[in-house]
């Protein structure tokens, strides 16, 4: 597995028509059931149309983070991230037109879609619509370098 290059993700999101905000509204927004909320631990969560919530949670072996899907009866770990995910999300993209911070959930989904973070295909199996949207976003941003 490659190490996620969050700075590159941010640069590419900044070049997306509509900037980083378009990642949420145009690509991921149709799969969200409401705006981003904050958990009791101060980390972001999204309520999903496919059911449940997608959340970042602290791992027992801090400072790692877990991306989880929380349903009514169970919580499934999707993938693990380092603390650099939160640090990167606090930075604005380098393109002047996109001057807002990016949700760490957007960066996490891009890292999974790009293959830089191994999720064991759990995102695809558990949340196929959100997984497809993340892959579409990755193709529109990261793969712009390919051609």
């Amino acid at each position: 597995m490659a190490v996620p290059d969050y700075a590159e993700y941010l640069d590419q999101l900044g070049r997306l028509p509509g900037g980083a905000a378009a990642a949420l509204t145009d690509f991921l927004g149709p799969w969200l059931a409401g705006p981003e909320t904050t958990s009791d631990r101060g980390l972001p969560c999204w309520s999903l149309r496919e059911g449940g919530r997608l959340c970042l949670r602290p791992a027992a072996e801090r400072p790692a983070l877990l991306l989880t899907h929380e349903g009514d009866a169970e919580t499934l770990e999707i993938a693990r991230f380092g603390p650099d995910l939160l640090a990167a999300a606090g930075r604005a993209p380098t393109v002047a037109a996109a001057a807002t911070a990016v949700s760490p959930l957007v960066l996490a989904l891009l890292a999974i879609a790009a293959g830089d973070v191994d999720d064991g295909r759990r995102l695809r199996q558990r949340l196929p619509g959100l997984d497809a949207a993340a892959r579409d976003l990755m193709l529109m941003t990261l793969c712009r370098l390919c051609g």
Side-chain angles (χ1 to χ4, degrees), residues 23-90:
L24 274 173
T25 58
D26 297 349
F27 291 91
L28 304 172
W31 299 101
L32 306 181
E36 184 172 294
T37 60
T38 303
S39 72
D40 57 346
R41 304 279 178 112
L43 294 170
C45 290
W46 289 342
S47 292
L48 303 172
R49 290 183 193 262
E50 291 177 276
R53 296 183 338 154
L54 189 70
C55 295
L56 283 174
R57 298 283 182 204
E61 62 283 350
R62 293 180 191 247
L65 295 168
L66 303 177
L67 179 66
T68 63
H69 179 246
E70 302 172 356
D72 291 334
E74 66 176 333
T75 296
L76 174 72
E77 177 184 322
I78 302 291
R80 291 177 176 253
F81 295 86
D84 52 337
L85 173 67
L86 292 178

Side-chain angles (χ1 to χ4, degrees), residues 66-122:
L66 303 177
L67 179 66
T68 63
H69 179 246
E70 302 172 356
D72 291 334
E74 66 176 333
T75 296
L76 174 72
E77 177 184 322
I78 302 291
R80 291 177 176 253
F81 295 86
D84 52 337
L85 173 67
L86 292 178
R91 294 191 313 233
T94 57
V95 175
T100 59
V102 175
S103 170
L105 292 171
V106 171
L107 294 180
L109 291 175
L110 276 175
I112 291 169
D116 292 337
V117 170
D118 183 16
D119 72 333
R121 300 182 64 136
R122 288 180 292 273

Side-chain angles (χ1 to χ4, degrees), residues 1 5 14 21-22 33 38 40 46 71 73 85 88 93 99 120 125-126 131 140:
M1 272 301 115
D5 185 351
T38 303
D40 57 346
W46 289 342
L85 173 67
Q125 293 167 355
R126 184 78 168 231
D131 177 70
M140 286 300 296

